[in-house]
Structures are given as structure tokens and as C-alpha cells.
Amino acid sequence: MDDDYRRLADRIADDIASGRLRPGERLPPQRAFARRRGIAGSTAGRVYGELVRRGLVVGEVGRGTFVRAAPPAPNGRALAEPVAATALAPRVNMELNYPSAPGQSELLAPALAPLLRPDVLTEALRPAPADGTPEARKAVAGLLVTPGWRPAPDGVLFAGNARQAIAATLASLVRPGGRVGVEALTYPLVKEIAARLGIVLVPLAMDQDGVRPDALVAAHRSAPLSALYVQPTLHNPTSVTMGEGRRRELARVVRELGVPVVEDRIWSFLTDKEAGDPLAAHVPELAHVVDGLSKRVAPGLTVGFLVVPPDRAEAVAAAVRSGGWSAGRFALEAGVRWIEDGTVARLVAAKRLDAARRQRLLARELAEFEGAVRSDPYAYYAWWELPASWRADTFTAAVAAHGIAVTPGDAFAVGPQRAPDAVRLGLASAPEPELARALRTLAAVARRGRTGR
């Protein structure tokens, strides 16, 4: 009968209201639930969907379904009315990580005003080619300079954002079924990009200095790699910055193996210029550098940058065009103006100070977990290896019951091995008072601990 799934949902709701099912506890997989109850798999799916609709559980693809905190209704049964989407949204979303400097909009506005003149706007609304404009290439090449690396403007290409720049570069380098080496913990959207392009990601072991060159050699000898994707500066999620010695060693191995590199430097603007030159400084013939304005400026009006070897420019540009990943001309023109008038430099300085304040806040509120929280004074995130009594998935669900969203380790893990029981804490998006309260809540939940791992 059509109401059967609602009655089953009511029973689970009773267990939640009575405390027999506690916040953070994991419900059985839907197939197992269907077998135990003697019902069809589709009915089990409707039961779980009803519980999500009522706001009693949270479901995460690949992780399972977990109990949220939910006050019982006066009659002891769960409320039947649907919960508004705003009620289900986390109050403090530490999965998101979009830094915003005080007075940012006021800084950005002046450069946009000239673009709104009808004669200028007409040109700014035309499509932008993959190689942008001479002015854009020159501005970005200057923005990306480090002490040991000065990119040539002719090697600069543009995409809509850094994610699209990564996708275009990988698409130009790797055929479907090809293998790409990545850090064992990597940027989650690279996993999505690889799945859409039909690329196999190969996890490479890391240590305290980043990806290990010997792991790259072993993986390539096992079966040739078509490319390597790495984040040597402020690695997401661990915030590790690779030392100069490791960069040189990795570049040497890359050259010996002939493996092209996609180097993601999207967070590198937060570090000192002396933190490390890109791999392109050591192996320019193989390195493809990806960067952009989304973190430096804002995610809503952004541009992705690519610096590629001269003989790779047309192939990458073709991938940008065929993927529909071209930069918007308006955003490109705005970005050039922000770079040239010093707005980007001012925002970078402000965000470095902001990140440092938030790191001090993190250190204060999670002081009792010192050693388990891995971070960097320049980073907008931290990697927290949870107390032994916690699993990452149950901790994620438990803090979700308090209105806080964090990212569990398996979102970053590559390959079949068990993900670490750790979470990434994004520090950039929440206002500082909210962030402080959220960190105190996380500490209290971790302190309480759980049994029955």
C-alpha cells in the first residue's frame, strides 16, 4: 500500500524521538533495510527519502544515511509536515571555503563602472578566445611571477574558472581510460572531473613534505601515467607546502619519466613569495600551471588561468573551446582592471591577514587537540585527525545535528583504501564570531567521543 513507507518512516522517527537512535548513528544501507523488513528496494528508498524530507536524517552519497538531532513532536511522533530547505541547511558551513575581505565590494566596484558604459559593454559582452587579450596575458603573467619563475605572456590561456582550467588541461593530456597520478588525498572536484572524462586516478603516497617521488616512479612503472596532478603549495586538504628540495626532486623524476604535470596553485597567493616556485620553474617543458581569481577576488565573477608549455598551447586552447570552458569577456576585462589598479594586491594582503586571524582562532579553540590538527599559518583550512573514538562519517553526522557542516576525509581520498578518520575544516566563509562558536562546538562533540567504532 502507498502508506506503508510512511508507517515504516514513523517507526524510525519514534526510535529517533525516544533516543533509541542517537544523533550520528548510521542507518543500515537501503538494501539491507529492505531485506530485514521484507520490502522492495524502491519502498526502502521512499522510507529513507521521507526521513530526509522530515529533517530526521542526512544522506551522503557514498557515505550512508545518518541520524540528525530532531526534537520530538508533542505527541511523540515526528512531524509530518515537510521541513523547509532553510531549516535543513547548516548554520555554519565549513565545507565551503570562500574568503571575503572586509570592504571587498567597495574595492571591486570602481573597476566595474567603466565596463557598464554602453560603448565598452558591447565589447565586454563578446565571447573571449582561449588566449584572452594581449592586455590580459600580460597582466596575469605579472600576477603569477615568483622569485624563480616569470611566465611568458604568450603561454597564458584562460578558462571560466580554475576548475574548468584543470578539466581542459586534463582533457588535452589524457584520453579516456588513461591514468593520472594524484596525491592520495586530493581536491574532490578532480575526482568528479576524472569521472566525467573517463580518467583513472592513481593515488600516490604522501609524507610530511607532500607527494613522494618514489611513489610516482612505482605507479608509472606499474602502468604508464598520462599525467600528474599535484598541489605543492598549501595542499588541499592537509595544507602541506612542499619544500624546495622536494620540488626539485619531483621535477627531476617527472623529467626522467616524461610525465606532464598539472600544478594547481589556486591557494598559493596566501603564502610568501619565498614559499616555493612552481614546478614550471624546474621543468617548464612539462608543467601546466593552473590558477585563478576565485579565491583572490570572489567566486561569482572569476577567471581561471593556465600557463602551458609553448608546444601545448593550441591543444589546451582547443580543449577549452570544445569543453565550453572559455572565460567570459566581461569577467576577463574586470579581472585585468583589478590586477592593474592594485585591487587584487590589496585583497590578497587583506586575506592573508584574515587567514592568519582565523588560524589563531583555530589554534585557541582546538588547543586540546594540538598535534591532531594539521594546518599552516597561511591557510584557510585545517586537517583534523579525529580522536580514536570517532569515525569521520559519524562525526560529520553528529556535528551536522548541531548545524555545522564539515568535510569528511573520504571526500578527498582516492582509491579503494580506507579513508582516514579525519575532517577538513574550511575557515574562510563563516564570520569570525560564528566560526569561533562552531569550533567550540566541534571541540565539545569530539571531546564527548563515542564507542563502538
Side-chain angles (χ1 to χ4, degrees):
M1 294 178 60
D2 191 59
D3 286 339
D4 285 349
Y5 80 93
R6 289 194 181 93
R7 286 196 290 269
L8 288 171
D10 286 342
R11 293 177 191 172
I12 297 174
D14 284 340
D15 289 339
I16 294 172
S18 67
R20 289 189 292 272
L21 284 174
R22 299 178 59 81
E25 289 194 32
R26 184 174 184 169
L27 299 187
Q30 291 184 24
R31 290 181 183 177
F33 181 84
R35 286 197 303 270
R36 293 176 191 174
R37 302 281 180 162
I39 58 176
S42 59
T43 302
R46 296 182 76 184
V47 172
Y48 280 43
E50 177 67 8
L51 293 169
V52 170
R53 187 181 71 82
R54 298 183 190 184
L56 300 177
V57 301
V58 289
E60 297 288 344
V61 176
R63 300 210 296 268
T65 303
F66 299 88
V67 176
R68 290 187 57 161
N75 63 359
R77 301 184 70 81
L79 297 174
E81 291 295 317
V83 179
T86 52
L88 291 174
R91 293 188 298 275
V92 182
N93 194 335
M94 298 177 73
E95 290 184 308
L96 298 178
N97 217 18
Y98 297 124
S100 178
Q104 179 167 299
S105 297
E106 289 77 8
L107 281 173
L108 296 174
L112 295 179
L115 293 176
L116 300 180
R117 285 181 11 219
D119 58 326
V120 179
L121 186 60
T122 299
E123 184 65 23
L125 293 180
R126 298 183 188 278
D131 61 353
T133 64
E135 296 79 13
R137 293 194 296 273
K138 180 180 178 182
V140 168
L143 179 69
L144 301 183
V145 165
T146 67
W149 182 60
R150 181 173 292 276
D154 289 347
V156 178
L157 300 174
F158 300 91
N161 54 45
R163 287 170 289 180
Q164 293 176 352
I166 294 169
T169 307
L170 289 176
S172 74
L173 288 168
V174 190
R175 294 183 176 183
R179 289 161 41 94
V180 174
V182 296
E183 291 115 333
L185 298 169
T186 195
Y187 177 39
L189 282 177
V190 168
K191 295 162 65 174
E192 286 190 22
I193 291 168
R196 294 189 180 192
L197 295 177
I199 292 171
V200 178
L201 296 183
V202 180
L204 304 177
M206 303 172 64
D207 58 20
Q208 70 280 1
D209 209 20
V211 67
R212 287 168 34 191
D214 64 320
L216 173 60
V217 172
H220 189 67
R221 287 177 177 170
S222 173
L225 298 174
S226 299
L228 169 68
Y229 167 84
V230 288
Q231 307 167 80
T233 304
L234 294 181
H235 171 264
N236 180 12
T238 65
S239 77
V240 166
T241 290
M242 189 179 290
E244 185 63 21
R246 174 61 59 85
R247 290 176 195 247
R248 291 182 180 278
E249 175 65 10
L250 184 61
R252 182 188 65 77
V253 169
V254 162
R255 179 178 286 113
E256 288 178 357
L257 299 177
V259 176
V261 180
V262 182
E263 179 176 359
D264 187 343
R265 287 179 61 82
I266 195 67
W267 288 107
S268 64
F269 73 93
L270 290 171
T271 67
D272 287 335
K273 289 292 186 182
E274 290 72 26
D277 296 317
L279 295 173
H282 306 295
V283 59
E285 71 276 17
L286 291 169
H288 302 66
V289 177
V290 173
D291 208 325
L293 289 182
S294 62
K295 307 301 183 184
R296 284 179 173 89
V297 179
L301 189 64
T302 187
V303 178
F305 313 143
L306 283 158
V307 181
V308 303
D311 63 344
R312 294 279 305 143
E314 182 48 43
V316 179
V320 170
R321 292 190 295 268
S322 64
W325 294 315
S326 300
R329 184 65 170 264
F330 187 90
L332 187 62
E333 293 291 343
V336 170
R337 291 168 183 263
W338 288 326
I339 293 170
E340 291 181 341
D341 70 7
T343 296
V344 172
R346 287 189 286 274
L347 288 174
V348 165
K351 289 180 180 183
R352 287 182 177 179
L353 293 174
D354 182 56
R357 286 196 306 271
R358 291 166 185 266
Q359 284 291 338
R360 290 193 293 270
L361 196 62
L362 173 79
R364 185 185 75 205
E365 300 298 344
L366 298 185
E368 65 191 280
F369 302 100
E370 185 180 5
V373 179
R374 185 189 306 174
S375 192
D376 183 285
Y378 296 104
Y380 264 121
Y381 39 88
W383 181 246
W384 186 5
E385 295 177 355
L386 296 168
S389 55
W390 280 105
R391 290 180 63 102
D393 49 10
T394 52
F395 183 82
T396 301
V399 300
H402 294 270
I404 303 169
V406 298
T407 312
D410 61 359
F412 302 91
V414 179
Q417 68 272 21
R418 186 175 180 277
D421 284 316
V423 294
R424 193 202 70 167
L425 308 179
L427 308 177
S429 297
E432 288 185 49
E434 288 186 14
L435 178 61
R437 288 192 292 271
L439 290 170
R440 285 194 290 272
T441 300
L442 294 179
V445 172
R447 192 182 305 121
R448 188 167 67 241
R450 296 184 62 86
T451 58
R453 276 172 60 89

